[in-house]
Amino acid sequence: MTNSTRAGALPFLGGGDEPPSKPSSSVAKEHGFVAIALIFARTWTFLSTYVLGYWREVPIRGFAIRDSADNPQWQERDASDDSGWSFHHVPPIVTLAALVGPLTGVIPINTSWLFDFLLALSGCMAVLSWSLLFLRKRLYLLASIALVAIGAVSSLFAVFVVDGVVDNLCVALVCAASTCIWVLQYRFKDGKLRIRVRIGSHLVYYFVLLWASLLLLILLAFFSVDVVSQSILQAKPVTPFIADLINEPELAGSNRDGNELARLDGEAQEPIIETESLTTEQRHSLKWVYALFLMIGWIVQLPLSMALPYYYIYIMQRVNQDLRLALHERWHLLSLRYHSNHRVGDSVYRIYQDSAQVTAVIGEITRALQVIITYGTGLMFLMALDPILSAMALTIIVGAVAWGYWFSPRMRSRSLTSRRANSDFTSRVQETFASTRLIKAHGAEDREQRRFERDSVNAFNASYRVRTFMAIVAIIMFSIAAGALLYGQFLTAIWTVGERETYASVLVGLVGLSFVKWNLSAYQSAQEHLGASSVSIRELIEHWTRAQDMAMGLNRVFEILDLEPDVKNRENAIPMTGFQHEIRFDNVSFAYEPSRAVLSNVSFAVKPGTVTAIVGPTGSGKSSLMSLLSRLFDPDSGSVAIDGIDLRDFDVDSLRENVAIALQENVLFGMSLRDNIRYVVPQSSDQQVIEAARVACVEEYIDGLPNGLDTVLSDRGGKLSTGQRQRLSIARAVVKNSPILILDEPTAALDAATEHRVLERLAEWGKERAIFLITHRISTIQKADSILYIDHGRLIEHGSHEELMKIESGHYRNYVETEARLSKRVEPSRPLEGEIQ
């Protein structure tokens, strides 16, 4: 591809090369808001572990911990013995905690509606804690959510509205007691009291810390704006709350009412001097107080700002790991039917890239919740200043919803196209690297480079369209929000000049702010919160835009997780303990596709201690027949039985433990020879590995290596000859020491002498075993005890070599004679058969 062609393929503006297939509009419409929400809801399976955590039991005597999070045996034992645990102790504790305030006089009754409201909230928490003892399922969940919400409201009300510190402690005590429902339970067992605590709820811990950090930032922002804008810049007295906080009551001046001034004057050693404005010295002193205030806030925020991102990444990576493992596990359980119809690169992309969207989902949900909280907070603050401002903030939502209705299906369509194009590109990369030897052997580098560049361009253009569309969405949403923001700035400026009274001036005064009338602080705070509301809606639309892309990726993941394996255990499946009598195929029929039969009514039996050769033309169904024996597939009709028991009644894992296979494709890994041979049985001893190598006639090659069994092979054993790889594959099957051995073309790359030695040693090793040979070599077939001749999926002839050769015009006899004539024809010019070096 020339440079000009490359430049045209990746345009800066306009369209480029299209991916070969694009999803139809109906596909995009199928994934509406509800469908996206359901896709996100499905991630709960992988998030629940980090929300619900796990229980850890702690005996009362001592604190020796019996269990741990990484101990699956304990988790299973705890799950099966979950009866008797209770939180009956919590409601009385919550009730007592709620009564502490009024009984001690810290929160007096009928003296202020603020205290009465706080007591009402504490009483509601006590009632809800009692109700949880009797509610179940959905009502229990709703009551739990209500308890959390009321606890959060009471905490905020005590901190921001009610003066004093002791009332905050009383509310904190009620909330802490209510938390015991979630974290602490007890039971009596065997006459002993036991307790257990819930730990490992990492997402809960994260959001609690995040909420605390956000609360601190709001507190700093409110009072920093008030001190700087009103007191330091305009020399106006500080609010009573701030004056009490810094222990300088004289700075409040006439902001206090008469009763409060008299009380403070009686408590002070010197009289309180009222002031209408602050002196220059007082303003400079406030400057240092403000600096100290910011420093303390920074010190408190620093550990949270450092720990929260790290903690978040830790949680998300664990969630991603769980999803990848589940996807990989399901991928292995799927039948060969699925794998034969899907490219390897597509599976790699789903496992590596699409599964990573689960962490992005949590991030988007987290940030969306933060945005909603910020928007709600700003909306309430604007409502307190003036309902017109809150109405303006609400109008931004109308425009955002209308805009989102138009762009959402188009975003989903582009996202799905991009993911499919990138999946195809990943497949191209995988296929290119896997075929390096073939490409070089045929000089196809240029052709493969063109195909590679074409798929790369398609993937780039598809991804570029997604990002471009996201940018357009953001620009238009910014324009919608900016209009409302500019009009709000115009109104608030007019109100500030006219010193118009704020809407909820009484509530603003109770909180301790100076926004009773429109002033510079009110103007700046209004602009801040109106701007924050505008930004919140824009960010919410951006999160929703990215959510479309994530949902398409997650949907591709769940497509795999939703697939049910064709081969799975029946209920009450029994383990296979061995093979003693016979293997019987009884009228077995099988097809990969209903319209094309692969096997039809195949019946035969095999005894232990025999070697059975399976012969026939290419594509006749030989390998498919043996795939049924290890239950890579199940027959469509008929049955395969071992010792009279249908294979479908055996546990799949135990069956495959008793069947060893040496495939025609000799797959080796980039690890030591020892680990390659004992790949299927990692716990095999060196003696067993050496014996398997001896049976496969590969011991001489291993002994000749400087590092012997410790020699590390290259990727796919590229430096070994075909015959060496074949014998290592046989050794890997032999070391499994299973009663059934299947060898697919085991000697195709061996010379006659090596073939003879391998077959002799296999016959000696397999005296009590059943060995199946899928082969075309007459020399191998003749050494078998029994021969199955298969053609077009049917068992045509069955017997020993001598018996089948006696059949006039028999298929097997014709096959042998044809091979003999061809062998004689090429004998003079054929070199001595040997291994390819």
Side-chain angles (χ1 to χ4, degrees):
M1 184 181 290
T2 64
N3 291 333
S4 59
T5 305
R6 290 190 178 99
L10 302 174
F12 179 71
L13 295 173
D17 292 344
E18 294 280 343
S21 61
K22 295 180 65 176
S24 63
S25 59
S26 61
V27 174
K29 291 179 179 178
E30 288 175 0
H31 297 89
F33 177 81
V34 176
I36 299 297
L38 290 176
I39 291 174
F40 286 173
R42 293 194 60 183
T43 61
W44 170 253
T45 303
F46 303 96
L47 300 178
S48 58
T49 302
Y50 303 98
V51 174
L52 302 178
Y54 56 91
W55 291 105
R56 175 172 289 181
E57 186 177 331
V58 181
I60 296 299
R61 291 184 180 179
F63 288 91
I65 297 176
R66 196 186 77 183
D67 320 294
S68 74
D70 299 324
N71 187 349
Q73 294 181 350
W74 175 81
Q75 291 181 346
E76 182 178 352
R77 183 168 64 251
D78 183 72
S80 62
D81 189 20
D82 202 38
S83 61
W85 293 102
S86 172
F87 57 88
H88 288 80
H89 61 293
V90 176
I93 296 176
V94 175
T95 304
L96 290 175
L99 293 174
V100 167
L103 291 178
T104 59
V106 172
I107 307 179
I109 304 175
N110 295 330
T111 58
S112 169
W113 72 269
L114 301 176
F115 290 130
D116 292 342
F117 184 67
L118 205 56
L119 288 173
L121 292 176
S122 299
C124 288
M125 294 177 68
V127 171
L128 286 171
S129 66
W130 282 102
S131 68
L132 291 176
L133 295 176
F134 309 101
L135 298 178
R136 294 292 181 270
K137 295 183 179 179
R138 189 171 298 177
L139 292 177
Y140 182 94
L141 178 61
L142 293 176
S144 300
I145 295 174
L147 182 60
V148 173
I150 293 175
V153 171
S154 63
S155 300
L156 292 173
F157 193 79
V159 171
F160 287 106
V161 179
V162 182
D163 288 336
V165 178
V166 182
D167 57 281
N168 295 347
L169 297 177
C170 291
V171 172
L173 184 62
V174 177
C175 293
S178 302
T179 306
C180 291
I181 297 175
W182 172 261
V183 300
L184 184 65
Q185 294 183 357
Y186 76 94
R187 73 173 175 181
F188 287 96
K189 185 177 182 181
D190 300 329
K192 295 180 180 179
L193 174 64
R194 292 188 174 274
I195 62 173
R196 66 176 184 177
V197 295
R198 188 192 297 272
I199 58 177
S201 303
H202 295 292
L203 279 173
V204 175
Y205 306 153
Y206 173 78
F207 278 108
V208 169
L209 292 174
L210 187 65
W211 180 76
S213 176
L214 181 62
L215 192 63
L216 181 59
L217 286 176
I218 293 174
L219 187 64
L220 288 171
F222 273 157
F223 297 108
S224 295
V225 170
D226 206 19
V227 169
V228 173
S229 300
Q230 295 298 110
S231 301
I232 296 178
L233 295 181
Q234 300 186 66
K236 292 184 178 181
V238 299
T239 61
F241 178 84
I242 297 177
D244 291 341
L245 183 66
I246 63 178
N247 197 27
E248 295 286 348
E250 68 277 2
L251 297 181
S254 58
N255 284 338
R256 298 188 185 274
D257 58 31
N259 294 331
E260 187 176 10
L261 282 171
R263 177 180 61 80
L264 292 172
D265 189 32
E267 294 176 356
Q269 295 179 356
E270 298 180 1
I272 303 294
I273 300 175
E274 295 188 23
T275 180
E276 291 297 332
S277 63
L278 300 179
T279 65
T280 302
E281 184 180 350
Q282 287 174 325
R283 292 166 68 189
H284 278 290
S285 66
L286 273 180
K287 177 180 65 177
W288 297 111
V289 170
Y290 173 66
L292 181 62
F293 192 57
L294 289 182
M295 180 62 69
I296 294 174
W298 179 80
I299 293 173
V300 175
Q301 276 286 102
L302 182 62
L304 288 176
S305 61
M306 294 177 61
L308 281 176
Y310 176 83
Y311 193 27
Y312 175 78
I313 292 174
Y314 165 77
I315 298 171
M316 291 304 99
Q317 290 304 313
R318 289 190 62 171
V319 173
N320 190 17
Q321 174 73 357
D322 291 344
L323 181 57
R324 282 181 179 174
L325 292 178
L327 190 59
H328 190 262
E329 181 182 19
R330 178 51 59 99
W331 188 77
H332 276 297
L333 291 175
L334 296 177
S335 70
L336 293 182
R337 276 195 181 96
Y338 169 83
H339 295 296
S340 61
N341 294 326
H342 289 77
R343 300 173 77 179
V344 174
D346 178 68
S347 298
V348 171
Y349 190 84
R350 291 181 193 238
I351 292 175
Y352 177 71
Q353 187 65 33
D354 289 335
S355 67
Q357 298 307 302
V358 71
T359 62
V361 165
I362 307 306
E364 291 301 316
I365 292 176
T366 302
R367 287 186 285 271
L369 288 175
Q370 293 176 4
V371 168
I372 291 172
I373 292 172
T374 303
Y375 179 74
T377 304
L379 200 63
M380 289 187 293
F381 186 81
L382 292 173
M383 174 69 76
L385 292 178
D386 200 293
I388 296 177
L389 292 178
S390 62
M392 292 175 59
L394 285 172
T395 57
I396 303 175
I397 297 181
V398 178
V401 170
W403 176 228
Y405 181 80
W406 182 88
F407 77 74
S408 291
R410 292 163 177 80
M411 179 65 200
R412 291 191 289 270
S413 177
R414 285 168 170 78
S415 173
L416 195 56
T417 300
S418 172
R419 292 192 173 276
R420 289 176 176 173
N422 279 277
S423 177
D424 290 341
F425 176 61
T426 305
S427 297
R428 176 66 62 202
V429 173
Q430 183 272 329
E431 291 169 359
T432 300
F433 288 142
S435 309
T436 301
R437 180 174 293 185
L438 177 67
I439 293 170
K440 285 185 174 295
H442 293 279
E445 292 92 339
D446 292 340
R447 184 169 65 252
E448 284 301 318
Q449 180 68 18
R450 289 192 296 271
R451 295 171 64 188
F452 183 90
E453 290 188 8
R454 184 185 66 244
D455 286 348
S456 178
V457 165
N458 288 337
F460 173 86
N461 286 336
S463 299
Y464 184 70
R465 289 188 188 94
V466 172
R467 302 306 165 193
T468 304
F469 191 74
M470 291 176 69
I472 294 173
V473 168
I475 291 171
I476 294 179
M477 192 60 231
F478 175 82
S479 302
I480 295 173
L485 182 61
L486 289 174
Y487 185 63
Q489 287 179 330
F490 173 75
L491 282 180
T492 53
I494 294 177
W495 293 340
T496 301
V497 172
E499 293 188 348
R500 175 178 172 172
E501 186 175 321
T502 55
Y503 178 70
S505 56
V506 177
L507 180 60
V508 171
L510 285 173
V511 174
L513 300 175
S514 64
F515 307 160
V516 178
K517 289 185 177 182
W518 279 94
N519 53 29
L520 181 59
S521 293
Y523 172 81
Q524 289 181 339
S525 295
Q527 295 310 307
E528 178 183 345
H529 287 285
L530 189 59
S533 299
S534 171
V535 171
S536 297
I537 297 301
R538 284 162 41 201
E539 289 181 350
L540 203 58
I541 288 296
E542 290 176 7
H543 294 319
W544 173 246
T545 306
R546 287 194 290 267
Q548 314 296 304
D549 182 42
M550 296 170 197
M552 296 301 97
L554 283 175
N555 191 58
R556 284 165 47 86
V557 172
F558 291 131
E559 282 177 358
I560 305 299
L561 294 178
D562 288 341
L563 293 175
E564 288 295 328
D566 293 340
V567 176
K568 53 186 177 181
N569 285 330
R570 288 178 173 175
E571 292 185 8
N572 303 319
I574 61 175
M576 179 178 172
T577 56
F579 162 50
Q580 298 180 354
H581 302 295
E582 70 171 5
I583 299 171
R584 179 171 293 276
F585 283 67
D586 187 12
N587 290 318
V588 170
S589 296
F590 172 74
Y592 294 104
E593 300 174 3
S595 59
R596 185 172 64 88
V598 176
L599 298 172
S600 299
N601 299 319
V602 176
S603 299
F604 65 91
V606 172
K607 301 291 184 180
T610 59
V611 176
T612 302
I614 303 173
V615 187
T618 301
S620 59
K622 303 184 295 296
S623 297
S624 298
L625 182 69
M626 290 296 96
S627 296
L628 300 179
L629 185 55
S630 56
R631 279 202 77 189
L632 297 178
F633 304 98
D634 282 334
D636 297 329
S637 63
S639 65
V640 183
I642 295 178
D643 293 341
I645 301 175
D646 194 307
L647 296 188
R648 288 167 287 200
D649 292 328
F650 285 123
D651 176 79
V652 175
D653 292 336
S654 69
L655 169 66
R656 291 175 182 169
E657 287 176 0
N658 285 274
V659 179
I661 304 176
L663 299 173
Q664 185 175 2
E665 180 184 1
N666 304 304
V667 179
L668 297 175
F669 302 95
M671 56 180 71
S672 69
L673 283 168
R674 176 188 288 101
D675 291 334
N676 266 283
I677 293 175
R678 65 181 185 185
Y679 175 77
V680 292
V681 190
Q683 66 274 18
S684 298
S685 65
D686 282 357
Q687 186 60 41
Q688 291 172 316
V689 171
I690 293 172
E691 174 60 19
R694 187 196 65 81
V695 173
C697 297
V698 75
E699 78 280 11
E700 294 179 2
Y701 166 73
I702 295 175
D703 292 339
L705 295 172
N707 297 322
L709 288 172
D710 294 320
T711 302
V712 177
L713 300 181
S714 59
D715 187 31
R716 298 187 302 276
K719 295 182 180 180
L720 298 179
S721 70
T722 305
Q724 289 166 343
R725 290 200 298 270
Q726 196 164 54
R727 282 180 285 164
L728 285 173
S729 182
I730 295 173
R732 179 190 294 163
V734 169
V735 80
K736 194 174 181 181
N737 199 31
S738 60
I740 302 171
L741 177 64
I742 301 172
L743 303 176
D744 194 348
E745 295 289 356
T747 61
L750 303 183
D751 60 82
T754 305
E755 175 196 10
H756 178 73
R757 286 191 294 126
V758 169
L759 292 178
E760 274 193 344
R761 294 182 183 182
L762 279 174
E764 179 184 357
W765 173 83
K767 288 181 178 178
E768 301 299 326
R769 298 173 172 86
I771 299 178
F772 294 89
L773 304 175
I774 302 174
T775 182
H776 291 89
R777 296 185 66 169
I778 301 300
S779 57
T780 304
I781 298 170
Q782 290 177 341
K783 294 180 173 62
D785 300 302
S786 178
I787 300 170
L788 307 177
Y789 188 88
I790 297 177
D791 193 6
H792 292 92
R794 295 182 177 275
L795 179 57
I796 306 299
E797 295 173 355
H798 179 202
S800 65
H801 174 74
E802 290 76 13
E803 292 171 345
L804 297 183
M805 289 298 293
K806 293 178 182 179
I807 301 176
E808 293 291 337
S809 301
H811 289 75
Y812 176 76
R813 179 173 176 174
N814 181 60
Y815 173 82
V816 173
E817 291 174 348
T818 301
E819 287 291 324
R821 287 194 299 270
L822 292 174
S823 178
K824 290 179 180 179
R825 186 178 302 171
V826 300
E827 186 74 28
S829 60
R830 187 179 66 180
L832 180 64
E833 183 178 6
E835 296 181 1
I836 303 173
Q837 297 297 327

